[in-house]
Amino acid sequence: MMSFTLGKKSGSSHSRRRSRGVVAAIVAGLSLALVLAGCAGAPAKSNDVSGSKKVTEASLLKSALAGPPLSIYGAVNPTSMANMIKAFEAEYNVNVVYTDLVQGPMIARYTAEAQAGNVKADLVFSGDPTFFNDGASAKWFQPVNTKDIPNARELPKQYFYGNSLGVGVQRLDGVITNSKSVSSSEVPKTWKSITDPKWQGQVAALDPRPISVAMYVWEELDKKYGDKFLEGVAKQNVEWTPSGLPGAEAIAAGEKKAFYGGSQGFTAPVLATAPNANLNPVHIFSDLHIGYIWNAGVSKNSPNPAAAKLFLSWLLTPQGQRLMGSASDQPSVLPNVVINGAVAPEKDFFVIKGSVSTAEGQRLTQLLGLQ
């Protein structure tokens, strides 16, 4: 676990740094007491502005400055989050405390706090749709919609679910190949090619047993190609990996030739440390476009909900989206924002919003030879 505060400001730095006209207008209109409270990060209770007919960035900022520092929990790429926090603090002068956790422990911590009625985070990021669906049922999160989040009005409807909204895309529909052992003409073009005898013993993929979104991918492939296809996969001696990074590393090292269900998000960390790694550009399969969304939710009992909603609204700007996606080459949830190195979702891109039932999961793992 890593917990840190970025860009903590004194009262004098607050008065000097007003990077946007909206900040200047709001600060000028606040009383001296409110300005000092916002600068010092005083624990004054923030006035949530949700429920008004049209929440504006200005009204969110005014309330955010009256509250404590914005607390965020997440399992997002650390470089992406550090860059986002730095830019957000510079833009709005709202202090941020970020707690960086691995996905599983993060969900466990938030769940324990929510069940105890003592949630510390204003805003939480996760790529697990079940977490948000369960949290919505348990009323852990505030509703977030186009009335509460100004820039969410540009977000496609498919990215709203579980009282959360989508801020980034993680594709699970490409293939990562070794550039020394697989020529560009040999790169697989479809999911179905995994059963080709030439790939026997040469393929890796995400283990669907601990990774719910990976199980969902195989369920969709089973619907498309039938049980015999999965039985064919079982005969290929696939190496099932616990996450995408070790899969990409295995391909770069030449241990395997192809990683099915990969993305630029898996290769980016490898290429960041080894730019000349033996990796072909990720090829997106044509027969099933699928992936999950990095979603964010505002805690029901958030100490500073206005700051959380302001952060979300800013994140749904071209600047916020580029900072979110660039470090890991993840595409934007906004159709008009291009992230260099990422492949934007197609019209038929299937967003995973749930999980496979226990019984169905057992059936699929048996077909894949994992039982």
Side-chain angles (χ1 to χ4, degrees):
M1 181 186 74
M2 176 176 62
S3 181
F4 56 90
T5 305
L6 293 176
K8 190 172 182 179
K9 307 171 184 65
S10 65
S12 59
S13 67
H14 176 80
S15 63
R16 290 197 302 268
R17 296 174 60 191
R18 298 172 184 171
S19 60
R20 295 184 67 183
V22 63
V23 177
I26 292 170
V27 173
L30 296 175
S31 66
L32 178 60
L34 179 58
V35 173
L36 292 176
C39 296
K45 185 176 181 180
S46 173
N47 297 316
D48 187 10
V49 295
S50 62
S52 57
K53 290 184 178 180
K54 186 178 180 181
V55 172
T56 65
E57 184 181 85
S59 62
L60 286 174
L61 178 57
K62 180 177 179 180
S63 294
L65 289 172
L70 170 62
S71 174
I72 301 176
Y73 285 2
V76 178
N77 181 296
T79 301
S80 296
M81 185 58 77
N83 290 339
M84 288 189 293
I85 290 173
K86 182 178 180 181
F88 176 78
E89 289 188 322
E91 188 85 356
Y92 299 104
N93 297 300
V94 175
N95 291 338
V96 178
V97 176
Y98 178 55
T99 302
D100 179 39
L101 295 159
V102 177
Q103 181 103 288
M106 187 277 294
I107 291 175
R109 174 169 173 170
Y110 189 94
T111 299
E113 291 181 356
Q115 291 175 339
N118 189 31
V119 172
K120 305 295 185 183
D122 299 293
L123 185 64
V124 59
F125 289 82
S126 174
D128 186 339
T130 302
F131 168 64
F132 284 113
N133 289 332
D134 291 347
S137 298
K139 302 186 185 307
W140 293 346
F141 306 112
Q142 299 183 21
V144 285
N145 50 51
T146 56
K147 284 173 52 180
D148 294 322
I149 313 294
N151 288 321
R153 294 156 196 159
E154 306 299 322
L155 188 66
K157 291 181 180 179
Q158 66 174 330
Y159 298 134
F160 291 84
Y161 66 87
N163 280 358
S164 65
L165 53 79
V167 294
V169 179
Q170 176 62 64
R171 304 196 69 130
L172 296 173
D173 55 358
V175 62
I176 301 168
T177 50
N178 182 281
S179 57
K180 276 193 171 182
S181 59
V182 182
S183 67
S184 57
S185 62
E186 295 174 317
V187 172
K189 301 299 189 293
T190 66
W191 284 95
K192 200 169 185 181
S193 64
I194 193 173
T195 59
D196 190 316
K198 73 178 181 181
W199 295 115
Q200 188 171 33
Q202 301 298 324
V203 172
L206 290 175
D207 189 336
R209 291 166 294 184
I211 306 173
S212 61
V213 289
M215 184 69 78
Y216 212 111
V217 172
W218 289 108
E219 183 182 49
E220 291 301 306
L221 286 168
D222 184 55
K223 291 177 183 177
K224 188 176 185 66
Y225 291 123
D227 293 354
K228 289 191 178 299
F229 169 68
L230 268 63
E231 290 172 345
V233 174
K235 298 175 182 178
Q236 291 294 81
N237 191 26
V238 176
E239 179 180 334
W240 301 99
T241 67
S243 66
L245 180 56
E249 290 173 335
I251 300 304
E255 297 170 9
K256 298 291 179 180
K257 291 183 178 181
F259 183 94
Y260 275 64
S263 73
Q264 290 92 336
F266 299 162
T267 60
V270 178
L271 295 172
T273 57
N276 296 319
N278 296 320
L279 294 172
N280 285 314
V282 176
H283 178 82
I284 301 299
F285 291 137
S286 59
D287 50 345
L288 177 64
H289 298 137
I290 190 169
Y292 65 88
I293 306 302
W294 285 102
N295 269 40
V298 179
S299 299
K300 180 180 179 180
N301 298 317
S302 163
N304 197 340
K309 293 174 183 179
L310 182 65
F311 191 95
L312 282 182
S313 188
W314 170 80
L315 193 51
L316 294 175
T317 64
Q319 180 193 24
Q321 283 294 286
R322 291 190 181 103
L323 291 174
M324 174 75 184
S326 59
S328 54
D329 293 335
Q330 293 181 149
S332 171
V333 291
L334 299 179
N336 297 325
V337 175
V338 176
I339 307 296
N340 291 334
V343 179
E346 298 79 5
K347 290 183 179 180
D348 63 348
F349 184 79
F350 185 90
V351 175
I352 299 171
K353 294 184 179 180
S355 59
V356 175
S357 69
T358 300
E360 177 66 359
Q362 292 175 344
R363 190 184 74 85
L364 293 171
T365 52
Q366 186 172 16
L367 287 171
L368 289 168
L370 294 173
Q371 286 185 340

